Amino acid sequence: QLSAAEAALALKQDLIDRLKAEAEQQRAALETIPVLQAQADIFKADFEAERAAREELHGQREKLQEELRQLRLRLGGDGA
């Protein structure tokens, strides 16, 4: 009976050790979540800034193309 109790105690201690290790791993994972969230926020802000810059450049390009078209029309009209 004593050896059975010792075996059960050893199994319980092994379970406790594994649960402690798992709890430590979970704690470490929880510490990385805010860091990963901050990185994601930075990536999102960079993406949105790049998108805004591309849209602004596209608008400028459209404006310049329209100005070029108007100049060509004026030059073509003056030549006629």
Side-chain angles (χ1 to χ4, degrees), residues 4-68:
E6 287 175 346
L9 183 61
L11 286 174
K12 290 284 184 184
Q13 188 60 46
D14 183 48
L15 177 61
I16 289 170
D17 291 342
R18 282 189 281 134
L19 289 175
K20 281 182 181 178
E22 185 179 335
E24 186 59 36
Q25 288 174 348
Q26 295 294 332
R27 217 174 279 118
L30 284 175
E31 290 174 2
T32 62
I33 289 174
V35 174
L36 295 175
Q37 185 63 47
Q39 286 178 340
D41 291 343
I42 290 169
F43 291 150
K44 181 180 177 184
D46 285 348
F47 176 79
E48 290 172 351
E50 288 177 17
R51 175 185 280 170
R54 281 193 307 272
E55 288 174 354
E56 183 180 341
L57 287 173
H58 180 72
Q60 289 174 356
R61 180 176 176 255
E62 292 289 322
K63 181 182 172 191
L64 288 172
Q65 283 182 330
E66 179 59 25
E67 288 177 14
L68 179 61

